[in-house]
Amino acid sequence: MFAVGLTVHLNAEFSQKAFSSLVDKLNEAAKEAGKSVDTSDFNIAEVVGSITIVLIVLGLVIAIVAFLGITGATCCVKHVLIVYLVITLVLFLAQLIMLLIFVIDRSVYDDAVKPALKDTIQEEFTGFEGNDAPSLIWNALMIELECCGVDNYLDFKGAKKWKGDPTNGGSYQTPRACCKDISNDDSCATLATDTNNNKNTGCYEKLYDYVVSDAVVIGAAAGVLGFQLLLLILTIVILKTAAAVEPDF
């Protein structure tokens, strides 16, 4: 986690390549529509910068906890092992609770994430030919997942920088990226229907379905929790074994 966060934060070329396929797909769609999208100034660091900092901090915390566990186990230091056990138990329970909330009651996450995503549309989205990071990512995401906005096309209504919005002198009901066939004329965006446009298919639900249905993601989450549970059990075993062998431990 620490390595990934540090690499993305410091190595702009690496992070750019990770999103190159989405940007390439956006460029292809723009060409089909007879449009031109300038992606030369696209910098993913503007979007994921804060996330990388979180990854770095979490990575350091995990490294410190792991060091406590290794030191306590190899040197048989009771107090260090107890500190390690408590910290690992707290982290395990916190992750388990977050996972259960995510599966059982999504509204806790929805209420926090959805408004933030909608704010990026209202404050930053400029349209299909926008070359700023938020616009490029939203356009690429909507084309890739065949969706429109967070919940639906109404998320774009009144967007401050979107020239296609009627309040800004435009005539679009939805952004061009919401069209099912980008190569068609602008009618799929100005006269949007469920037949020619993904206007009522939200990207948030698409992403959620992708994450929940992805066996790799679910397997990774279960693997991490399982591994932490195993560490807890081993730590307890070490403490009990050491106490049985050395009463003063």
Side-chain angles (χ1 to χ4, degrees):
M1 187 178 293
F2 173 78
V4 171
L6 193 62
T7 301
V8 175
H9 186 71
L10 298 179
N11 192 335
E13 184 178 352
F14 172 83
S15 54
Q16 290 291 108
K17 287 181 179 178
F19 288 83
S20 61
S21 60
L22 278 178
V23 176
D24 290 342
K25 185 160 288 191
L26 175 61
N27 282 323
E28 291 175 8
K31 288 180 181 178
E32 290 179 7
K35 303 284 186 180
S36 176
V37 179
D38 181 13
T39 59
S40 59
D41 294 330
F42 174 64
N43 184 7
I44 190 61
E46 296 178 9
V47 181
V48 300
S50 57
I51 298 176
T52 60
I53 299 298
V54 172
L55 289 176
I56 291 172
V57 172
L58 288 177
L60 284 173
V61 171
I62 292 172
I64 293 171
V65 173
F67 176 76
L68 289 174
I70 294 172
T71 303
T74 55
C75 301
C76 289
V77 183
K78 179 181 179 181
H79 297 299
V80 173
L81 277 174
I82 292 175
V83 170
Y84 170 76
L85 179 65
V86 171
I87 294 175
T88 304
L89 179 61
V90 170
L91 290 174
F92 174 78
L93 292 176
Q95 291 172 83
L96 182 61
I97 291 171
M98 289 175 65
L99 182 62
L100 289 175
I101 292 175
F102 182 74
V103 174
I104 297 172
D105 186 12
R106 277 181 51 197
S107 62
V108 175
Y109 291 96
D110 294 350
D111 293 344
V113 177
K114 281 189 175 183
L117 292 175
K118 291 181 180 182
D119 280 344
T120 64
I121 292 176
Q122 287 295 316
E123 301 295 332
E124 303 295 336
F125 185 78
T126 57
F128 190 66
E129 297 179 70
N131 61 355
D132 57 292
S135 297
L136 289 171
I137 289 177
W138 269 114
N139 286 326
L141 189 67
M142 292 189 291
I143 292 171
E144 175 68 18
L145 297 181
E146 298 180 350
C147 56
C148 189
V150 180
D151 290 321
N152 52 48
Y153 74 104
L154 294 176
D155 295 330
F156 294 92
K157 187 175 182 180
K160 296 177 181 178
K161 296 182 180 180
W162 181 36
K163 295 179 181 179
D165 188 77
T167 58
N168 295 326
S171 58
Y172 282 30
Q173 292 179 356
T174 76
R176 185 69 179 269
C178 293
C179 292
K180 291 184 176 181
D181 186 354
I182 302 294
S183 62
N184 284 336
D185 56 32
D186 288 353
S187 62
C188 62
T190 56
L191 300 172
T193 66
D194 288 329
T195 302
N196 63 14
N197 196 293
N198 300 307
K199 67 175 190 173
N200 289 314
T201 302
C203 295
Y204 188 86
E205 288 299 324
K206 283 268 191 171
L207 281 172
Y208 176 83
D209 291 342
Y210 173 78
V211 172
V212 172
S213 63
D214 193 320
V216 175
V217 174
I218 295 174
V224 169
L225 288 175
F227 181 67
Q228 289 179 343
L229 181 60
L230 178 62
L231 291 176
L232 286 170
I233 295 172
L234 289 174
T235 305
I236 294 172
V237 170
I238 291 172
L239 284 169
K240 285 191 173 183
T241 302
V245 175
E246 299 181 33
D248 295 331
F249 176 73

